[in-house]
Every structure is written in structure tokens, then in C-alpha cells.
Amino acid sequence: MTKTPSLVPQERGPLDHDVRTQIVDAATEHFSHFGYEKTTVSDLAKAIGFSKAYIYKFFGSKQAIGEVICSGCLSTIMTAVGEAISDAPTASERLRRMFRALVKAGSDLFFHDRKLYDIAAAAASGPWPSVLAYEEHIKQLITQIIVEGRDSGEFERKTPLDETASAIYLVMRPYVDPLLLQHNLDLAAEAATQLSGLVLRSLAP
């Protein structure tokens, strides 16, 4: 199985992890209550008791702080997907489980922590590096599953691999991209079942 990549951005400034953790924890709390857009670095500085200049020694911008939080959220989703597909007996079942797990984890984040979901949406509109890494990981998983299915005889082999993987990702994208998922929540669970079925029929030899 494709190894889950690290989405955590490279650290800046003094190597004081306790301070970094304080800043990120304060940011998470503020973003959860007030939203990403309405929170400023000055707000975070006041909450922690630091100067704004001191925070900038560790993070170059509010987005850099949001990037760490977003990376954690997306890494949680990828971990859930990895666990869901790890023991799938066939490539077809791996594809079904991957789609379902992506939709469920993204929907759970939307419903249970709406303000933090706003960070993921802001990141997707960037797009931030963590989102690009997340998308690339999904594409790699899709490609790996297709190769496994072709090797086992489950999937056809005529269509170019990159074309097949890209098409499947585009089908899934409205339900795995944070910006798009928020507009498709009502149909997300149904789509995960029906669209994965449609994709698997198209892959049949």
C-alpha cells in the first residue's frame, strides 16, 4: 500500500516545540470558535500572552499556522482511508472502501468541526501545499488500485493508466475536495456507493 506522506510543512524559527504547540493549540481554538478568516495573528498573540513579533519567529503568517492545522486534518483523513482499505480482499473492494472512507471522513469533519473545515476549504482555494500533497496521495492510491486490479484480471488494460486514474479522480473530486464537498453533502453517501459502482463497471474487462 502507498505510504501516507507527511503533510506537515517545514518548521521555521527556533526549535522550541512547546511554543509551536502553544501557538497551534491557541489557533485551533480560535479558528474553531471564530473561523479562520476572522482570526488574526494579534488575536492569537493575546490569547497566549506572546507578542505578535514573537509568533512571527515561528510562523511567517497566519496561513503558515493554518497550514499546520490543515495538515493534521488531512493526515487524519488519509489515515482513516489507509485503515479502511488495508484488509480489502480485492482491488474492486479497495476502490469502494477508499471512496466511502474519503467521503465519510470529510463529511465528519464538516459536521463535527465546521470552523476547522473552513481552514480546509481556505486551503483548497489556495491551494496550500498540504492540499496538493493530499490530492497527490489520493491519485497515487487510485493508480495503485488500478494496477492491482489489472494484475489480478479484475480491470481492463486497454485504457492508458494515467487517463484511467485521472478520470476516476475527477469523478470522486466533488466529494473529496473540501470546497466542493460542502455543496454536495446531501448526496455524498449515496454518491460514494453509486459512483464507485459506476466506475467499477467501466473498469470491467
Side-chain angles (χ1 to χ4, degrees):
M1 184 173 62
T2 302
K3 184 179 180 180
T4 299
S6 173
L7 299 183
V8 179
Q10 186 173 4
E11 292 184 346
R12 158 197 177 103
L15 295 177
D16 190 330
H17 296 286
D18 288 340
V19 174
R20 290 179 185 279
T21 299
Q22 279 185 277
I23 295 171
V24 171
D25 287 347
T28 301
E29 175 141 0
H30 269 71
F31 294 158
S32 295
H33 283 89
F34 306 109
Y36 174 75
E37 296 297 338
K38 293 182 179 179
T39 300
T40 67
V41 174
S42 294
D43 294 331
L44 301 180
K46 291 176 184 176
I48 308 171
F50 293 158
S51 69
K52 186 164 68 171
Y54 187 63
I55 289 181
Y56 279 129
K57 288 184 178 180
F58 295 87
F59 297 96
S61 63
K62 182 179 76 170
Q63 178 178 319
I65 302 171
E67 181 78 48
V68 174
I69 299 171
C70 181
S71 296
C73 292
L74 296 180
S75 293
T76 297
I77 292 175
M78 291 197 302
T79 297
V81 171
E83 292 173 351
I85 68 176
S86 63
D87 61 348
T90 64
S92 296
E93 182 60 22
R94 280 167 67 83
L95 187 64
R96 288 193 189 93
R97 291 187 187 184
M98 179 183 68
F99 201 168
R100 286 200 304 264
L102 283 167
V103 169
K104 183 180 185 305
S107 298
D108 286 348
L109 180 61
F110 185 95
F111 281 118
H112 297 152
D113 219 334
R114 185 64 180 87
K115 298 296 185 183
L116 290 184
Y117 186 93
D118 288 344
I119 300 177
S125 66
W128 294 359
S130 57
V131 171
L132 295 176
Y134 173 68
E135 292 175 348
E136 182 59 29
H137 180 63
I138 294 173
K139 292 174 183 177
Q140 289 175 2
L141 280 178
I142 292 172
T143 299
Q144 179 183 325
I145 291 171
I146 294 170
V147 170
E148 291 174 356
R150 288 182 172 186
D151 289 345
S152 67
E154 292 176 71
F155 301 156
E156 59 88 14
R157 301 184 181 187
K158 295 180 180 179
T159 310
L161 179 62
D162 58 345
E163 180 181 323
T164 302
S166 178
I168 293 173
Y169 176 73
L170 290 175
V171 169
M172 296 171 61
R173 191 166 180 264
Y175 304 95
V176 300
D177 181 289
L179 276 177
L180 301 177
L181 175 60
Q182 62 184 324
H183 302 297
N184 295 296
L185 277 173
D186 290 345
L187 298 174
E190 183 179 359
T193 298
Q194 295 190 2
L195 291 180
S196 60
L198 179 66
V199 166
L200 287 172
R201 288 192 291 276
S202 74
L203 292 175

